[in-house]
Amino acid sequence: MRERFPLPEWNSLAGLDDDTMPLLSTALLIARDEYPSLDADLYDTLLQEHAEALRGEIDAIDAWPLKMAAINRHLFDELGYSGDSDEYYDPRNSYLNQVFERRRGNPISLALVQIEVARRLGVPLDGVSFPGHFLVRLPVDDGLLVMDPFNRGRPLGVDELRERAKPHLGGELPDDGALLHILNPASHRAILVRVLRNLHSVYAESDDWERAARSADRILKLSPDQPEALRDRGLAYLRLGHTGGARHDLARYLQRHADASDAAAMRERLVELSAGSARMH
């Protein structure tokens, strides 16, 4: 029987533009790698139930910030979604099915839940690839309402946003123009790539190189021109003993990113791989 909420095929995603790449179904496709029996219909229905429980209340509210406050109250106070401060780097916090089941997540997975519920209620919520923690934003009459999904959707003022960005900008506070640029909406592709980068980082840190390679490979399915993902997959292949794949990926990385700060180290790895291959022959 055909799924009511079918997931896309990995090989179809690179050809989609950023506006048409499906957010929820691709996030669940990422999760299906780790949870093959995942029922996508179940989670689509659950999200719809979250939204329908709010529809009457949201329709009766005129102001966008008040609509968003009602959504946040329902998700974080009534349904119990929260940031997983105790096990922040638990990979389950990046797999959306587990976020639904456990009501725990990291900033970007909780943002995905917020975005999906809000948009089903007609509230134009977007993600923000803010340095450090992922945020969400909502256009309002006098500018932007920026919120932190990891902290129950708490609104963030301009001064706090500047301070949060400062460590990632060489210790400099961003001016108005730089801050607005940082707060640009993230495309669906950018959001999904960031989910996979988080997973790659978690798995590489724990020496789970098979899953690290898979995460980098999935980034390349979404965005084939990501040189860092080529490097990361190549290094993971190297750890797994797949020397042919490692040599191929690292060579392509250097072709595309010859001036990278780690280019010399990658060339050294490539020379070692070629020498090892020659000795074997």
Side-chain angles (χ1 to χ4, degrees):
M1 187 174 68
R2 191 171 183 273
E3 290 178 304
R4 289 177 289 112
F5 188 71
L7 300 186
E9 297 290 333
W10 277 112
N11 290 333
S12 72
L13 294 171
L16 300 179
D17 61 38
D18 289 346
D19 294 330
T20 58
M21 180 168 288
L23 185 58
L24 174 64
S25 59
T26 308
L28 289 172
L29 183 66
I30 292 169
R32 183 177 275 179
D33 276 340
E34 187 66 18
Y35 302 93
S37 62
L38 177 151
D39 183 352
D41 294 339
L42 174 67
Y43 301 112
D44 176 58
T45 301
L46 180 64
L47 268 175
Q48 194 62 29
E49 289 173 354
H50 289 354
E52 291 305 323
L54 280 166
R55 191 170 300 280
E57 181 180 2
I58 297 301
D59 289 346
I61 299 172
D62 291 327
W64 291 120
L66 296 179
K67 288 177 185 279
M68 200 63 230
I71 292 169
N72 287 338
R73 184 170 60 250
H74 183 60
L75 289 177
F76 299 112
D77 294 345
E78 297 170 9
L79 295 178
Y81 286 95
S82 65
D84 191 350
S85 300
D86 296 330
E87 298 289 343
Y88 186 86
Y89 295 105
D90 188 326
R92 292 178 297 176
N93 290 327
S94 289
Y95 291 122
L96 205 53
N97 63 319
Q98 289 296 299
V99 176
F100 288 131
E101 298 288 347
R102 301 167 64 238
R103 304 289 165 95
R104 297 287 183 273
N106 58 26
I108 196 166
S109 63
L110 293 170
L112 277 164
V113 176
Q114 268 186 303
I115 289 167
E116 284 293 326
V117 171
R119 289 179 179 176
R120 290 177 188 222
L121 293 165
V123 178
L125 192 65
D126 282 314
V128 176
S129 281
F130 203 80
H133 281 187
F134 197 85
L135 303 175
V136 294
R137 53 167 271 173
L138 180 70
V140 294
D141 291 340
D142 55 349
L144 291 174
L145 173 63
V146 181
M147 292 161 283
D148 182 353
F150 194 71
N151 289 291
R152 308 168 68 84
R154 182 173 69 82
L156 303 174
V158 171
D159 290 342
E160 184 174 354
L161 289 167
R162 290 191 208 280
E163 287 295 334
R164 285 189 177 208
K166 181 179 175 181
H168 305 278
L169 300 174
E172 297 290 330
L173 287 172
D175 60 21
D176 289 349
L179 186 59
L180 280 174
H181 179 73
I182 293 170
L183 293 173
N184 278 339
S187 69
H188 288 183
R189 191 185 307 275
I191 293 171
L192 295 160
V193 165
R194 186 158 169 169
V195 170
L196 286 162
R197 281 182 177 150
N198 287 344
L199 283 167
H200 173 271
S201 178
V202 166
Y203 288 133
E205 186 68 24
S206 61
D207 292 332
D208 188 341
W209 295 108
E210 185 174 344
R211 287 181 170 88
R214 182 182 72 194
S215 301
D217 179 73
R218 294 318 197 190
I219 292 173
L220 293 167
K221 293 292 189 185
L222 293 175
S223 187
D225 295 325
Q226 290 267 344
E228 292 82 3
L230 266 176
R231 176 202 61 201
D232 292 342
R233 189 176 66 178
L235 291 174
Y237 283 164
L238 185 59
R239 294 285 192 137
L240 292 167
H242 301 328
T243 55
R247 190 164 54 246
H248 179 262
D249 280 354
L250 294 179
R252 288 177 64 202
Y253 171 70
L254 288 169
Q255 287 173 358
R256 299 182 183 189
H257 218 43
D259 297 329
S261 60
D262 62 354
M266 294 304 106
R267 288 191 190 95
E268 191 173 318
R269 293 286 183 95
L270 201 53
V271 168
E272 291 170 359
L273 280 169
S274 298
S277 178
R279 283 195 299 271
M280 288 176 65
H281 286 300

